Amino acid sequence: MAVHDDCKLKFMELKAKRTYRYIIYKIEEKQKQVIVEKLGETNETYDDFATLLPADECRYAVFDYDFMTAENVPKSRIFFVAWSPDTARVRTKMIYASSKDRFKRELDGIQIELQATDSSEIGLDVFKSRVN
């Protein structure tokens, strides 16, 4: 599975310049490559991000999560989300699962990985619990 150059470029902008809040990626099966599907502006929220994950299709996503430490210090962590809902086609789930590690290696700077099959597995509470 190829990775479109835009995937790495947009991720570097998110990581270095904080240009985006999130990036949603999809596998274009005909072209056999991972492409950028949606870029979230910095003023968008977790809720904006969560509503864009399709209920019956797989996606990869990166989310720049801001939080406050117990000492009131603002920090952020970059999450990689492997979204694979139970209702997605089996073939699609297999393609995403087999391509995930290679794709993730292309995105240098991922700090925390989440795998989710429904919205309860990527709730804001899950993000909060993983940063501590």
Side-chain angles (χ1 to χ4, degrees), residues 46-104:
Y46 167 80
D47 291 330
D48 298 323
F49 164 74
T51 59
L52 291 170
L53 294 173
D56 56 357
E57 290 180 41
C58 299
R59 291 291 185 272
Y60 300 128
V62 171
F63 188 84
D64 187 7
Y65 177 67
D66 293 325
F67 64 99
M68 293 295 255
T69 65
E71 298 79 34
N72 260 0
V73 178
K75 289 205 168 187
S76 78
R77 291 284 180 266
I78 297 174
F79 278 78
F80 177 85
V81 178
W83 174 249
S84 184
D86 292 330
T87 52
R89 290 184 6 242
V90 172
R91 182 180 187 285
T92 304
K93 289 195 274 192
M94 288 173 58
I95 291 169
Y96 273 81
S98 64
S99 306
K100 181 185 67 140
D101 287 339
R102 182 182 181 279
F103 177 60
K104 207 172 85 174

Side-chain angles (χ1 to χ4, degrees), residues 10-124:
K10 297 301 181 195
F11 177 76
M12 294 309 283
E13 290 175 22
L14 177 144
K15 184 175 90 168
K17 300 178 190 163
R18 308 205 53 181
T19 314
Y20 308 107
R21 171 69 54 212
Y22 59 83
I23 306 170
I24 298 177
Y25 303 95
K26 73 183 273 188
I27 292 177
E28 194 57 62
E29 286 190 45
K30 288 184 180 76
Q31 299 167 353
K32 294 198 181 334
Q33 71 174 346
V34 181
I35 60 168
V36 172
E37 181 179 49
K38 173 86 172 94
L39 298 168
E41 300 301 322
T42 53
N43 62 346
E44 292 189 52
T45 65
Y46 167 80
D47 291 330
D48 298 323
F49 164 74
T51 59
L52 291 170
L53 294 173
D56 56 357
E57 290 180 41
C58 299
R59 291 291 185 272
Y60 300 128
V62 171
F63 188 84
D64 187 7
Y65 177 67
D66 293 325
F67 64 99
M68 293 295 255
T69 65
E71 298 79 34
N72 260 0
V73 178
K75 289 205 168 187
S76 78
R77 291 284 180 266
I78 297 174
F79 278 78
F80 177 85
V81 178
W83 174 249
S84 184
D86 292 330
T87 52
R89 290 184 6 242
V90 172
R91 182 180 187 285
T92 304
K93 289 195 274 192
M94 288 173 58
I95 291 169
Y96 273 81
S98 64
S99 306
K100 181 185 67 140
D101 287 339
R102 182 182 181 279
F103 177 60
K104 207 172 85 174
R105 276 196 302 273
E106 299 279 341
L107 306 179
D108 184 37
I110 299 287
Q111 294 163 309
I112 301 170
E113 179 182 338
L114 290 178
Q115 295 194 42
T117 58
D118 66 48
S119 57
S120 71
E121 295 179 306
I122 56 159
L124 208 46

